[in-house]
Amino acid sequence: MGRLQKILIPFLGLVLAFWFYSARDTFKPEMLRGKRVIVTGASTGIGEQMAYHLARMGAHVLLTARTEPRLQSVVRRCLELGAASARFISGSMEDTAFAQGVVREAQTVLGGLDMLILNHVGASYFGFFDGDVEHVRKLLEINFLSYVAMATSALPMLKESEGSIVVVSSMAGKVGFPFTVPYSATKFALDGFFSSLRQEFTIQNINVSITLCILGFIDTDRAVRAAAEVLQERPAPRDECALEILKGAALRRRELYYRYSSTRLPLLLRDCAAELLDYLVRSRYRLPAAPAAPRPPH
Ligand SMILES: NC(=O)C1=CN([C@@H]2O[C@H](COP(=O)(O)OP(=O)(O)OC[C@H]3O[C@@H](n4cnc5c(N)ncnc54)[C@H](OP(=O)(O)O)[C@@H]3O)[C@@H](O)[C@H]2O)C=CC1
Ligand SMILES: CC(C)CCC[C@@H](C)[C@H]1CC[C@H]2[C@@H]3C(=O)C=C4C[C@@H](O)CC[C@]4(C)[C@H]3CC[C@]12C
């Protein structure tokens, strides 16, 4: 019996490992050919790179952000790269009516929607929490409520196409990081909303996938300008990051981690050694020496 167990258990382990890895399908760029995709925050950074990858794969892209001249040049480049079609609408995600209007535009000009990529973020500061509650409220509107509004308006079209919602989040939406208090709150909120919604979709047999993307430090202009001096962490390339998001979305993954070594691996500590993880996070920061405590009088 003992010997049988010694052979049987590793054998079962191998069978399970083989099944797990072989069952994971592989990405092919054709999966996104002809798909109708909205990308928010597409004027710069990761959103811009996702637009270019989608264009190369032959998708129809509808791009949005506030800065019209930037969007015009991204659309032009998408058409050069082979997009089936490329358009933009400019406006601010502070305005829920605008967010819903972007989704309506997909219905009008594309006749439906296969993928909604929610990626934009409002500007915030990288520093100690400054006590500005209005800023937290505004950031929740831009980074969270507009995501909720867009996903809700897009749901009828996505149900029809059995499409996908992609939510771009961050390590700062899974663990507490210093210097990102308001931002982090908005990213944790996204996890709560979309992970609960995914559960309900499963119960109701709604075949719309939700992919939550957990990103580490990425080399976009704004992030590097804000944080490169303080962080002892090399930022990962935005174009590779954008492609990994699209692969995860096309494969209908529930969560996606980029890069693995600075996201998935540290997160393994979260439930069993939270204080150690907090310490490791703090150790990635070059912090100014804390001001010396006043000396007690002799
Ligand atoms: N870079 C990083 O290190 C990390 C990034 N992420 C996530 O990746 C995503 C993309 O980030 P990244 O590419 O670095 O960001 P960028 O700052 O480069 O891009 C942000 C985009 O959002 C748009 N935007 C900003 N404010 C508004 C607004 N009020 N209404 C509508 N659009 C707005 C910007 O365009 P415009 O100003 O023209 O409106 C821009 O297109 C975000 O969700 C971010 O949280 C996650 C982890 C790390
Ligand atoms: C456990 C560690 C090894 C992982 C370290 C990863 C750290 C360095 C990563 C994880 C999340 C990242 C922040 C983020 O999500 C988005 C932004 C917004 C941008 O405008 C300014 C930069 C900022 C604050 C990123 C800074 C770098 C962070 C803290």
Side-chain angles (χ1 to χ4, degrees):
M1 184 64 185
R3 184 177 295 170
L4 193 66
Q5 270 182 350
K6 270 188 203 152
I7 298 170
L8 205 61
I9 290 173
F11 177 72
L12 273 178
L14 273 176
V15 169
L16 274 176
F18 179 75
W19 171 78
F20 181 74
Y21 283 105
S22 58
R24 294 175 84 81
D25 17 52
T26 45
F27 171 77
K28 293 182 203 72
E30 300 82 70
M31 288 173 162
L32 291 166
R33 187 181 302 146
K35 297 289 182 207
R36 298 155 298 179
V37 186
I38 291 179
V39 184
T40 72
S43 63
T44 58
I46 301 164
E48 177 186 0
Q49 298 302 316
M50 286 195 279
Y52 298 152
H53 284 301
L54 286 163
R56 285 187 203 99
M57 293 170 197
H60 294 271
V61 292
L62 176 56
L63 311 178
T64 180
R66 288 167 309 173
T67 319
E68 200 165 322
R70 285 251 7 120
L71 286 169
Q72 274 165 350
S73 85
V74 178
V75 160
R76 223 176 297 124
R77 181 99 187 96
C78 284
L79 292 170
E80 285 164 14
L81 290 171
S85 71
R87 298 178 171 83
F88 74 85
I89 323 178
S90 58
S92 176
M93 291 291 172
E94 275 169 78
D95 175 6
T96 311
F98 172 74
Q100 291 160 336
V102 174
V103 173
R104 258 200 317 278
E105 183 79 1
Q107 176 79 75
T108 314
V109 299
L110 301 174
L113 187 67
D114 299 291
M115 189 177 281
L116 173 65
I117 305 185
L118 299 166
N119 163 79
H120 63 275
V121 269
S124 189
Y125 52 90
F126 187 69
F128 288 112
F129 177 53
D130 65 4
D132 183 350
V133 179
E134 273 316 303
H135 173 70
V136 179
R137 191 192 310 280
K138 186 174 158 192
L139 212 59
L140 273 166
E141 272 165 13
I142 300 170
N143 296 4
F144 173 65
L145 281 174
S146 69
Y147 281 43
V148 171
M150 287 188 82
T152 307
S153 322
L155 199 53
M157 283 192 283
L158 292 173
K159 278 184 183 166
E160 181 158 347
S161 62
E162 304 206 321
S164 308
I165 301 172
V166 181
V167 178
V168 181
S169 185
S170 160
M171 266 298 265
K174 287 279 185 190
V175 201
F177 274 86
F179 296 176
T180 58
V181 170
Y183 168 85
S184 194
T186 68
K187 294 297 193 186
F188 269 77
L190 288 172
D191 195 346
F193 182 86
F194 284 99
S195 300
S196 303
L197 193 64
R198 191 194 293 109
Q199 287 276 41
E200 296 192 355
F201 284 2
T202 307
I203 293 170
Q204 298 171 97
N205 276 323
I206 294 175
N207 194 9
V208 174
S209 63
I210 298 181
T211 302
L212 183 70
C213 307
I214 311 304
L215 310 181
F217 191 17
I218 313 297
D219 71 357
T220 61
D221 295 343
R222 183 134 62 107
V224 169
R225 225 179 303 124
E229 278 193 9
V230 176
L231 293 170
Q232 299 184 341
E233 189 74 24
R234 201 133 41 104
R238 62 183 109 166
D239 58 335
E240 185 182 79
C241 173
L243 184 58
E244 288 307 310
I245 294 175
L246 297 177
K247 286 183 188 172
L251 295 172
R252 305 175 83 81
R253 299 263 191 266
R254 66 181 272 127
E255 290 193 344
L256 173 148
Y257 292 83
Y258 180 84
R259 281 178 164 162
Y260 198 83
S261 57
S262 58
T263 55
R264 196 81 187 99
L265 287 181
L267 278 175
L268 290 176
L269 289 176
R270 196 177 49 162
D271 293 332
C272 58
E275 304 234 320
L276 175 61
L277 178 57
D278 280 357
Y279 167 80
L280 288 176
V281 163
R282 289 194 303 275
S283 74
R284 310 311 295 160
Y285 283 61
R286 274 184 220 104
L287 297 170
R295 287 211 199 144
H298 297 292

